[in-house]
Amino acid sequence: MNVGVRVLLLLFLFFSSTYTAFSLYEDQVGLMDWHQQYIGKVKHAVFHTQKAARKRVVVSTEENVVASLDLRHGEIFWRHVLGPNDVIDEIDIALGKYVITLSSGGSVLRAWNLPDGQMVWESALLGSKSSKPLLLIPTNLKVERDNVIFVYGNGFIHAVASIDGEVIWKKELASEGVDVKQLIYPHGSDTIYAVGSLGLSRVDVYQLNVKSGELLNYNNIFPAGFSGDLSFVRDDTAVALDSTGTILVSIRFQNGEISFHQTHISELIQGFSGATVILASKIPGMFSLEINRSIIFIKVINEGKMKVVDKLGHASAVSESLPLSDGRQAFSLVQHNDDKILLNVKLADDWASNLLEETIRMDHQRGLVHKVFINSYVRTDRSNGFRVLIVMEDHSLLLLQQGEIVWSREDGLASVVDVTASELPLEKDGVSVAKVEHNLFEWLQGHLLKLKGTLMIATPDDVAAILKMRLQSSEKSKLTRDRNGFRKLIIVLTRAGKLFALHTGDGRIVWSLLLNSLRKSDICENPRGISLHKWQDPHHHALDENPSVLVVGRCGHSSDSAGVLSIVDTYTGEERSNMGPTHSIAHIIPLPFTDSLEQRLHLLLDANRHTHLYPRTAEALGIFQRELGNVYWYSAETDNGILRGHAVKKNCVLEVADDFCFDTKDVWSIVLPSESEKIAATATRSLNEVVHTQTKVTADQEVMYKYISKNLLFLATVAPKAVGPVGSVTLDESSLVVYLIDTVTGRILHRMTHHGSQGPVHAVFSENWVVYHYFNLRAHRYEMSVIEIYDQARADNKDMLKLVFGTHNLTSPITAYSRPEVFTKSQSYFFTHSVKTIAVTSTAKGITSKQILLGTIGDQVLALDKRFLDPRRTLNPTAAEKEEGIIPLTDSLPVIPQSYVTHALKVEGVKGIVTVPTKLESTTLVFSYGIDLFFTRLAPSRTYDSLTEDFSYALLLITIVALLAAIFVTWIWSEKKELQEKWR
């Protein structure tokens, strides 16, 4: 029997030792998280297609990204994200090995190594006034053995050495208010020309020596007056409209002399009428006019005379000219035709010629073509072939070659405006969305690989095979709900006005929709999306009704612009209805009421202080009128330092009667002292947050009642001089004041001042506590503080006698108008990181402990346990407090490397973090977005209510079978041994 016991113990120790690790191994990355990299909407592109190097295109984007992309697959070779205020003005390639970028309005010039993207040098080009930045890189122009780069910015022209970025010379040209529009360098000359204008009345030409910057000649002319910028059709010729908008003026610069020629538009275009806009010239010797939604191409011939070449519809785009090997210039013209685009490559000096003519089918959800970039290559028959890079209306990037789309990138996802989550459809009986079939050999092979991985004897190829097998066999990518609620749709709205539905399993795009209401039109010139809201989230009618979201947008940047609304089905991506342009939309209030169709009621506030009820149905109106007295909200006037509380008063009095419009009234107001306080940040509780318990039991068995109210507002103000970045204010001039305010009555429940502190302030409000982050000038460090608020009025409820005799106040109604007896606990801690955004985890029942999610300055997401931000932490906690889980007090919050949710990855330009609860109480879904996207699952208290997905049920079954076999064998051995002993 001793032998059997030993065998059982050995087997138990062997199999139990395989389940002791809780870390994330390399082969587990990608099972519960995914990471997607983007660059944003491309605005400049330069091709580099030398035979000896990788074929690539270098781009700069509206998200201030400079990147090198593989021309074969569209993948990112390297990428750099500049600061939010470091806008990229121009890019080019110098010496065939440096990428030159000009940014910050011509103030910063950088050189990046083309193969790997390492920065070679950086030069700061300071000046006296802001001006249009210009970059000119001549070929083979050397000054003192250095190739020269010419830059105009901030009123100065700089000659910069391309090897080390040293400024060789600089010359101020804007001393008299002249705005330089173009730098011209004739090849092989010792002179560079700078052409500019003074207002709308004078044209100036500066002639400078390229080696010394000496002013050689200066000339100007006073035309009759012109409107808009100069459009340069050649180095020596520019075109502009006169002040009346009916005459085209061609201006010619030759040997420092200026001459001009006027041509009436009516002479070129019969029946000319309407507003005229001259577009930037991209084709040598030619420019274009936009008149009445049409584009007219006009060629400038000898001595400034003009000739109409062609007239096209509004939906067209033209590339810049491309020099060919035979000295000719080619350009690309793209036109739309329903769901197709017509691609033509023409010669600049022969409009009728077509070097290439192709028709390509295009997804209409991408919209119109906004930009075109062309590149050529030599075919095997020595003829010219062309590849075209196009930027679409939805900010996507596509490469076209030989009549096909070679690759595409959904770079609109780099500019996410708002995010919400939606459930997937229920899986119907007898229907399986994804079926995985394995034969017996594959099943055995898979479990053999898993066993090798468990025993840590797997080779790298085996590890890759295990990862591939897990991804293939996993059910996380099915398009139906799972029992744990892990599979969902993440609905994102982008700056381009496009909706994407991303699957939480693998991040793939399930559907996308370019909203017509958020596209530029005659009635909506500058549309932009504002926010997403859940419109219909059916529970009782889950099999009959699909969930939907409300998309809110404006036709301009100001709050008094006309608003647009769209309702989109989250299962199919179809637009159910849209409205607009309608009344302005200054604020959106989701109400906690739903109608019989489970549509959520919303109040939309306009700039005239009217509220509009949606959905506009009789049932919704009846529900709202019954609850009208319980609807309150607040508004913060940041510039004036005024906080106001509002309520609904009565129906609007308008020229046209509208039963769904209501007037508002001011309930209360708080005026902050403008000389000492300026609003820096506000935070409120999430409307759908679930609180598990209203009490907190301390270590000495004392019961504290949480003051839980969805009407609480956290307000942070700073001294007016401390609004700027860190270091812009002295210690005595800085202060941070925080408030807890009831938004129904305007009563200030708590006020605290942090002397010597300043913003930026980031805060998150959850349950009865708020955590906020700021900078402490006294300690020269960042700080995080926590405030917890408790209800003192209910402290007597723990008296058993009052409970027996019924004199307690547990059943007494709670109203915001009764003065609450509250007390607070607060504590501050040093923190090592600057923070861009802050959020908190949320779970289905609110039982699981909370984690604070911080988007750090390093573009990573850090999960910080809320226990570290407990205001009751002390230096020497008692045994009971330790048992409660209180951590000993330290002056700094720890940053544990394993607490980085993003591991070693970065979410470049992180802007927001969204948490979504699952059906499993222990787990929450985390989605962070910026230029990149990242998704993962978090279990703040570990997965105490489930087994992990990679739990090996096969190995457990083998263990049980082995134990049963060992028991059976040892039982036979013991029986034989007992029988032998009896025969003795």
Side-chain angles (χ1 to χ4, degrees):
M1 189 65 182
N2 292 335
V3 176
V5 172
R6 291 175 181 173
V7 172
L8 285 173
L9 288 174
L10 288 173
L11 287 172
F12 177 76
L13 290 173
F14 171 75
F15 287 109
S16 63
S17 64
T18 61
Y19 299 100
T20 58
F22 295 98
S23 300
L24 185 69
Y25 290 97
E26 185 178 358
D27 65 324
Q28 292 177 302
V29 175
L31 293 179
M32 295 185 297
D33 57 75
W34 44 263
H35 180 233
Q36 297 176 355
Q37 292 182 316
Y38 298 100
I39 57 175
K41 184 180 181 181
V42 172
K43 59 181 182 179
H44 303 111
V46 182
F47 291 89
H48 186 263
T49 55
Q50 294 181 0
K51 293 183 179 179
R54 293 180 176 180
K55 291 179 173 58
R56 67 181 76 209
V57 57
V58 180
V59 299
S60 68
T61 71
E62 294 182 356
E63 304 299 327
N64 297 340
V65 176
V66 55
S68 175
L69 304 180
D70 183 5
L71 268 181
R72 291 186 175 88
H73 308 290
E75 298 174 351
I76 299 174
F77 280 139
W78 54 263
R79 176 187 64 166
H80 291 288
V81 182
L82 306 185
N85 299 321
D86 196 4
V87 179
I88 301 175
D89 304 309
E90 298 283 348
I91 66 169
D92 207 339
I93 295 178
L95 305 179
K97 60 180 181 180
Y98 295 146
V99 176
I100 307 298
T101 62
L102 181 64
S103 60
S104 296
S107 299
V108 182
L109 187 69
R110 297 182 179 95
W112 314 85
N113 194 28
L114 181 59
D116 56 12
Q118 295 294 321
M119 190 168 70
V120 181
W121 51 259
E122 178 183 86
S123 293
L125 309 177
L126 303 179
S128 57
K129 58 170 289 186
S130 60
S131 59
K132 178 184 177 181
L134 300 172
L135 176 66
L136 176 63
I137 304 180
T139 57
N140 299 323
L141 173 62
K142 291 187 177 183
V143 176
E144 298 179 359
R145 297 181 296 180
D146 286 333
N147 288 75
V148 180
I149 299 171
F150 293 109
V151 176
Y152 178 76
N154 299 314
F156 281 81
I157 181 171
H158 297 79
V160 182
S162 61
I163 300 298
D164 54 8
E166 181 182 356
V167 177
I168 300 173
W169 56 261
K170 69 176 183 179
K171 180 72 175 179
E172 185 177 9
L173 299 181
S175 58
E176 298 182 6
V178 176
D179 187 13
V180 174
K181 304 292 185 181
Q182 184 85 351
L183 297 179
I184 303 170
Y185 173 71
H187 183 69
S189 173
D190 291 333
T191 304
I192 183 172
Y193 295 90
V195 182
S197 60
L198 178 63
L200 302 178
S201 60
R202 195 177 87 187
V203 179
D204 296 67
V205 177
Y206 296 90
Q207 187 176 349
L208 305 173
N209 186 289
V210 296
K211 295 183 179 180
S212 62
E214 178 187 357
L215 182 61
L216 302 178
N217 193 9
Y218 168 72
N219 202 347
N220 60 61
I221 192 171
F222 293 85
F226 55 93
S227 62
D229 289 339
L230 300 176
S231 178
F232 284 82
V233 296
R234 280 189 293 265
D235 283 347
D236 60 350
T237 306
V239 176
L241 280 169
D242 77 333
S243 56
T244 65
T246 59
I247 300 176
L248 289 170
V249 181
S250 62
I251 307 171
R252 191 178 182 189
F253 322 97
Q254 192 171 18
N255 299 324
E257 299 295 329
I258 306 175
S259 60
F260 67 95
H261 181 274
Q262 294 184 349
T263 303
H264 287 268
I265 299 179
S266 57
E267 298 176 3
L268 299 173
I269 305 170
Q270 297 297 327
F272 159 72
S273 64
T276 304
V277 177
I278 188 167
L279 304 179
S281 174
K282 296 184 178 181
I283 309 170
M286 196 176 299
F287 69 98
S288 54
L289 293 177
E290 183 177 349
I291 305 175
N292 298 329
R293 300 179 62 85
S294 297
I295 296 180
I296 295 101
F297 291 90
I298 301 175
K299 189 173 183 179
V300 180
I301 52 181
N302 297 332
E303 298 180 356
K305 296 182 180 179
M306 301 179 187
K307 175 183 178 183
V308 174
V309 176
D310 202 352
K311 180 178 180 180
L312 302 176
H314 184 71
S316 60
V318 182
S319 72
E320 293 186 354
S321 61
L322 172 72
L324 302 179
S325 56
D326 55 3
R328 297 181 298 175
Q329 298 277 338
F331 68 95
S332 176
L333 175 65
V334 177
Q335 302 174 71
H336 282 266
N337 183 12
D338 296 330
D339 59 344
K340 298 178 181 179
I341 61 172
L342 306 178
L343 173 63
N344 291 291
V345 177
K346 299 175 177 290
L347 290 174
D349 55 355
D350 186 5
W351 185 272
S353 66
N354 279 330
L355 299 180
L356 181 68
E357 187 174 0
E358 294 174 344
T359 301
I360 302 169
R361 185 171 297 276
M362 185 65 63
D363 183 5
H364 68 279
Q365 294 298 341
R366 297 191 182 276
L368 304 177
V369 177
H370 276 191
K371 289 182 180 294
V372 183
F373 305 95
I374 186 175
N375 178 244
S376 66
Y377 61 94
V378 180
R379 297 192 182 104
T380 54
D381 60 355
R382 311 305 297 173
S383 62
N384 286 317
F386 298 94
R387 54 175 73 93
V388 177
L389 193 71
I390 60 174
V391 182
M392 303 299 293
E393 185 179 355
D394 66 342
H395 298 185
S396 59
L397 185 67
L398 299 90
L399 182 70
L400 310 181
Q401 188 172 340
Q402 296 180 357
E404 295 181 353
I405 300 175
V406 179
W407 51 259
S408 62
R409 293 180 52 88
E410 295 291 350
D411 284 303
L413 288 169
S415 56
V416 174
V417 174
D418 201 5
V419 180
T420 189
S422 174
E423 295 287 349
L424 281 163
L426 294 168
E427 185 171 357
K428 297 180 181 179
D429 295 337
V431 178
S432 178
V433 178
K435 294 183 179 179
V436 182
E437 298 180 355
H438 297 283
N439 56 36
L440 181 60
F441 175 75
E442 291 176 344
W443 184 86
L444 292 174
Q445 186 181 27
H447 283 289
L448 179 61
L449 286 173
K450 286 184 179 180
L451 183 61
K452 292 173 69 176
T454 303
L455 299 176
M456 292 183 289
I457 59 174
T459 63
D461 292 338
D462 292 337
V463 172
I466 292 171
L467 179 59
K468 182 179 179 181
M469 181 180 59
R470 285 176 177 173
L471 294 175
Q472 289 178 347
S473 61
S474 175
E475 294 187 351
K476 68 177 185 178
S477 59
K478 293 175 65 176
L479 286 175
T480 55
R481 300 183 193 179
D482 61 313
R483 64 179 182 275
N484 293 326
F486 293 161
R487 293 198 297 264
K488 295 181 184 292
L489 288 178
I490 299 177
I491 313 298
V492 301
L493 173 65
T494 67
R495 184 162 50 89
K498 190 171 186 179
L499 276 181
F500 290 88
L502 307 178
H503 197 291
T504 57
D506 51 9
R508 75 182 186 277
I509 298 173
V510 178
W511 55 260
S512 61
L513 173 66
L514 184 62
L515 293 167
N516 288 325
S517 57
L518 294 179
R519 299 181 67 182
K520 186 176 181 180
S521 62
D522 292 337
I523 58 176
C524 195
E525 285 291 332
N526 298 298
R528 57 186 295 265
I530 303 175
S531 57
L532 287 175
H533 303 273
K534 289 187 177 181
W535 178 259
Q536 186 178 19
D537 195 5
H539 298 284
H540 304 294
H541 305 85
L543 294 176
D544 305 322
E545 298 286 342
N546 292 354
S548 56
V549 293
L550 172 67
V551 185
V552 183
R554 293 194 189 109
C555 288
H557 297 285
S558 61
S559 59
D560 58 352
S561 302
V564 290
L565 305 172
S566 294
I567 299 174
V568 180
D569 191 310
T570 61
Y571 285 176
T572 63
E574 296 178 356
E575 188 176 20
R576 293 184 183 177
S577 61
N578 61 72
M579 182 183 299
T582 180
H583 56 79
S584 59
I585 301 175
H587 188 54
I588 304 100
I589 305 175
L591 300 175
F593 316 123
T594 57
D595 60 13
S596 60
L597 297 177
E598 299 185 78
Q599 295 180 128
R600 189 166 186 172
L601 274 61
H602 292 75
L603 273 184
L604 273 63
L605 279 66
D606 63 18
N608 298 320
R609 301 185 65 183
H610 297 313
T611 60
H612 303 265
L613 176 66
Y614 290 87
R616 299 172 68 88
T617 62
E619 181 186 5
L621 182 61
I623 296 172
F624 179 70
Q625 288 177 337
R626 289 195 299 270
E627 301 290 345
L628 187 143
N630 297 321
V631 178
Y632 298 88
W633 68 94
Y634 77 95
S635 64
E637 299 178 15
T638 306
D639 296 333
N640 301 326
I642 301 177
L643 207 66
R644 303 182 190 273
H646 309 280
V648 179
K649 185 169 58 174
K650 60 181 181 180
N651 284 92
C652 301
V653 180
L654 303 173
E655 295 180 0
V656 179
D658 186 356
D659 294 335
F660 301 95
C661 177
F662 297 86
D663 282 333
T664 63
K665 61 181 178 180
D666 292 345
V667 180
W668 55 266
S669 63
I670 298 175
V671 181
L672 300 170
S674 59
E675 67 278 0
S676 61
E677 295 185 42
K678 185 176 180 62
I679 297 176
T682 58
T684 57
R685 279 186 56 199
S686 174
L687 293 177
N688 57 359
E689 183 185 26
V690 178
V691 180
H692 175 62
T693 177
Q694 294 188 0
T695 61
K696 186 172 185 177
V697 181
T698 62
D700 54 1
Q701 303 304 312
E702 182 183 353
V703 178
M704 295 191 300
Y705 290 89
K706 302 175 183 177
Y707 187 80
I708 297 175
S709 172
K710 291 187 177 180
N711 300 317
L712 270 185
L713 166 70
F714 169 80
L715 173 69
T717 66
V718 297
K721 293 183 179 180
V723 176
V726 173
S728 61
V729 66
T730 63
L731 182 63
D732 297 332
E733 297 173 332
S734 61
S735 64
L736 170 67
V737 185
V738 297
Y739 300 84
L740 291 178
I741 302 173
D742 190 300
T743 57
V744 175
T745 62
R747 185 177 291 117
I748 298 176
L749 303 180
H750 178 70
R751 182 182 185 274
M752 184 169 61
T753 303
H754 298 272
H755 294 288
S757 298
Q758 72 165 104
V761 181
H762 300 277
V764 63
F765 207 138
S766 178
E767 293 190 0
N768 69 318
W769 52 265
V770 60
V771 170
Y772 53 100
H773 177 278
Y774 55 94
F775 188 78
N776 188 330
L777 285 170
R778 293 181 183 275
H780 301 284
R781 299 169 72 177
Y782 286 99
E783 270 190 5
M784 289 184 70
S785 295
V786 58
I787 301 174
E788 292 185 358
I789 183 168
Y790 295 94
D791 191 351
Q792 183 67 29
R794 305 180 66 184
D796 295 336
N797 290 341
K798 60 186 178 182
D799 192 333
M800 186 59 66
L801 290 177
K802 290 186 177 181
L803 183 63
V804 171
F805 291 104
T807 59
H808 60 85
N809 60 355
L810 280 175
T811 57
S812 61
I814 298 175
T815 172
Y817 287 104
S818 62
R819 188 174 186 87
E821 299 179 22
V822 299
F823 69 96
T824 60
K825 291 181 177 292
S826 61
Q827 185 65 272
S828 298
Y829 304 92
F830 292 126
F831 191 61
T832 56
H833 289 294
S834 176
V835 168
K836 291 183 176 181
T837 184
I838 185 170
V840 64
T841 56
S842 59
T843 54
K845 304 297 181 183
I847 301 173
T848 305
S849 60
K850 302 282 187 178
Q851 283 186 337
I852 311 298
L853 302 176
L854 305 169
T856 66
I857 192 66
D859 293 323
Q860 291 186 298
V861 179
L862 176 68
L864 187 64
D865 198 319
K866 171 60 174 63
R867 292 186 303 160
F868 289 113
L869 287 158
D870 191 333
R872 298 189 301 121
R873 288 176 63 184
T874 58
L875 288 173
N876 298 305
T878 63
E881 289 176 336
K882 290 180 180 179
E883 185 178 351
E884 185 186 345
I886 294 180
I887 302 171
L889 179 64
T890 56
D891 62 344
S892 299
L893 296 172
V895 177
I896 305 171
Q898 291 81 1
S899 298
Y900 282 100
V901 175
T902 47
H903 318 308
L905 303 173
K906 283 188 175 184
V907 185
E908 292 285 0
V910 59
K911 293 187 294 186
I913 302 172
V914 178
T915 60
V916 182
T918 65
K919 293 180 181 178
L920 207 61
E921 171 58 27
S922 65
T923 308
T924 182
L925 307 180
V926 178
F927 177 72
S928 58
Y929 60 93
I931 297 175
D932 297 343
L933 306 180
F934 181 83
F935 172 85
T936 190
R937 296 204 306 258
L938 281 186
S941 300
R942 296 192 180 275
T943 52
Y944 56 83
D945 52 359
S946 68
L947 294 173
T948 58
E949 278 194 351
D950 57 351
F951 182 83
S952 179
Y953 293 94
L955 191 57
L956 177 62
L957 181 61
I958 294 172
T959 303
I960 295 173
V961 172
L963 289 174
L964 291 175
I967 291 172
F968 181 73
V969 171
T970 54
W971 178 74
I972 294 177
W973 285 351
S974 63
E975 288 293 325
K976 287 183 178 180
K977 187 174 182 180
E978 288 179 3
L979 183 61
Q980 289 176 359
E981 289 179 353
K982 289 179 180 181
W983 278 102
R984 289 180 181 178

